[in-house]
Amino acid sequence: CTADLGYGDPRGAPAMRRAVATWLARYRGIQVGPGEVIVVAGVAQAIGLFVQVLRDDGVTELAVEDPGSLGARQHLHGWRMATPPIPVDEAGLRVDRLRASGAPAVLVTPAHQFPTGVVLAGERRRVGWMLVPSRYRDALVSAKRLADLGNPVLTQLVIAGLMESGEMERQLRITRRRHRHRRDAMVAAIRRAPARRGATRHGCRPAPDGHLRRRDLRPGTGRAGAGGWGEGATAVLAPPAAG
């Protein structure tokens, strides 16, 4: 229907949001409604929108991983947001150091952290996709509307069709197998290289169970995440609502 291709809901096409909610429940064990999903152009836009909303709520600093993405820090500095560094170890972001920092929000990459490649341990996750706490949802939708009036609808409808038909998940399974074979070949080659026997490998572990698990989500946390169609994700964790 051509009417579906005009400017619509800045949250995203209803078909796309329904497909994302269904996909998250089926393959990630995350139960959300379509009304909780907001479609964005990518991680950079998601971060920018979150930062605008958080600043309006009085948040002026957002902790980041150390080491972490220089581009993400520059993006946050462009919005006049302070970025206190939080160390990363073999299990990902040091949550104890995050608590000690007093930072009200944090930007994390749970799967294959850059540049170390470590996977955030399951017990340290508090994350989602572009699932916005109700406290910030209306403000973020307004910011999204002002940013671009919404993402191109045709692309969303195509992706929704791929998700609903199961074609996207079939393609992801093929891609995962291909990358697993490549990963195994790389690890085997590293192990055979005499000069590299003492080297430490990073970025070679899958996320726990290959997916986010329901128990990885902590009730009572204000969570706002941004995710794509691969295994990786970036999450901005905001403070929970009072009470």
Side-chain angles (χ1 to χ4, degrees):
C1 176
T2 56
D4 291 336
L5 304 180
Y7 288 114
D9 193 326
R11 295 176 298 175
M16 175 66 170
R17 290 186 284 118
R18 285 195 303 269
V20 169
T22 300
W23 194 83
L24 286 173
R26 182 177 301 160
Y27 299 109
R28 293 292 184 267
I30 301 174
Q31 300 292 333
V32 296
E36 299 177 75
V37 177
I38 298 177
V39 180
V40 293
V43 172
Q45 184 182 51
I47 292 174
L49 294 174
F50 282 132
V51 169
Q52 291 180 61
V53 172
L54 290 175
R55 282 190 62 85
D56 289 343
D57 198 45
V59 176
T60 58
E61 65 175 13
L62 198 155
V64 297
E65 298 164 321
D66 182 26
S69 168
L70 174 61
R73 292 200 305 274
Q74 291 173 333
H75 194 170
L76 294 171
H77 293 162
W79 286 101
R80 303 185 306 282
M81 186 72 73
T83 56
I86 306 297
V88 172
D89 62 18
E90 66 278 0
L93 183 105
R94 289 278 303 275
V95 177
D96 57 332
R97 297 289 292 273
L98 173 62
R99 292 194 186 99
S101 75
V106 59
L107 175 67
V108 296
T109 49
H112 306 296
Q113 192 268 346
F114 176 83
T116 68
V118 299
V119 177
L120 187 63
E123 63 272 15
R124 293 187 182 180
R125 292 171 180 249
R126 296 162 296 163
V127 300
W129 276 39
M130 186 63 171
L131 307 176
V132 184
S134 57
R135 174 183 179 183
Y136 296 111
R137 194 170 300 140
D138 291 343
L140 196 121
V141 171
S142 296
K144 170 67 175 171
R145 180 184 294 109
L146 292 174
D148 60 10
L149 299 179
N151 290 81
V153 176
L154 180 58
T155 303
Q156 297 181 60
L157 296 178
V158 170
I159 295 174
L162 291 172
M163 296 176 75
E164 291 170 344
S165 68
E167 287 296 328
M168 191 184 81
E169 183 58 28
R170 282 190 284 273
Q171 178 61 32
L172 286 176
R173 285 198 294 268
I174 293 172
T175 303
R176 290 184 192 116
R177 285 196 297 269
R178 181 184 304 139
H179 287 305
R180 188 176 297 114
H181 291 321
R182 292 175 177 174
R183 174 262 187 198
D184 291 345
M186 179 189 70
V187 172
I190 292 174
R191 286 173 175 163
R192 288 194 301 267
R196 296 291 183 268
R197 283 178 180 166
T200 300
R201 298 188 306 276
H202 292 295
C204 294
R205 293 180 293 162
D209 296 344
H211 301 293
L212 291 182
R213 299 167 294 185
R214 190 188 309 277
R215 66 177 178 272
D216 292 335
L217 302 177
R218 293 290 182 265
T221 60
R223 65 183 186 275
W229 310 119
E231 293 296 332
T234 298
V236 179
L237 304 183

